[in-house]
Amino acid sequence: MLRILTFVLPLALWVWAFIDCLTTPEDEVKHLPKVVWVIIVLLFPLVGSIAWLVAGKRRDGLRTATAGSTAGYPEYDRPRGGRPLAPDDDPEFLASLKKDNKQHEDMLKQWEADLRRREEELRGKDEPEDGRKS
């Protein structure tokens, strides 16, 4: 069992570090270009994987916001530090919610008007022709 772990754990570390290195955006890679990190992880599986984990990637927990995510903010009011916007702070997201709410309200009004019209039609069919109610 110990022999299997000494083979499987480094292999799993190497595969994970390689995939992490490939999928990491270029702006989150530290110290060397991304291509160099990929080559280091491939050529030196154990040492390269550990080096990637320790020094290759910015791991501060913050991802940089894309250029379009701060649209709608004046220059002085943009989020600082490249942090992503929360949905309740994103003006584009809030505008889309208002648009969806307006569409749903309009649809509901149409349904209510249709229901009233159908109820009136049914009431008209139920009443006798001489105008007396039964």
Side-chain angles (χ1 to χ4, degrees):
M1 181 70 176
L2 189 58
R3 277 192 262 170
I4 293 173
L5 286 178
T6 59
F7 176 72
V8 171
L9 286 178
L11 180 66
L13 174 69
W14 178 64
V15 168
W16 182 79
F18 179 66
I19 291 171
D20 188 46
C21 186
L22 285 176
T23 59
T24 299
E26 187 73 37
D27 60 339
E28 292 183 16
V29 176
K30 295 190 316 186
H31 304 297
L32 296 172
K34 184 176 174 178
V35 175
V36 175
W37 277 114
V38 169
I39 292 171
I40 289 172
V41 170
L42 278 177
L43 293 180
F44 308 103
L46 187 60
V47 175
S49 299
I50 293 171
W52 168 254
L53 293 175
V54 171
K57 181 178 179 181
R58 186 178 64 212
R59 300 194 185 276
D60 57 0
L62 298 176
R63 300 207 179 235
T64 57
T66 59
S69 67
T70 58
Y73 281 100
E75 186 65 34
Y76 61 86
D77 199 22
R78 289 198 177 159
R80 293 191 176 43
R83 294 176 33 199
L85 291 174
D88 58 344
D89 292 337
D90 188 0
E92 292 174 15
F93 177 74
L94 294 174
S96 73
L97 286 180
K98 287 179 184 176
K99 179 183 169 191
D100 288 344
N101 284 343
K102 177 80 169 126
Q103 289 174 346
H104 289 139
E105 287 176 11
D106 292 342
M107 189 183 322
L108 182 61
K109 287 177 184 176
Q110 289 175 354
W111 287 350
E112 288 174 345
D114 187 44
L115 180 62
R116 277 190 225 105
R117 181 185 56 79
R118 290 181 183 195
E119 285 176 347
E120 291 298 323
E121 286 176 5
L122 289 175
R123 283 190 191 125
K125 289 180 182 176
D126 288 343
E127 293 181 4
E129 291 185 20
D130 61 358
R132 291 183 300 164
K133 293 191 178 184
S134 44

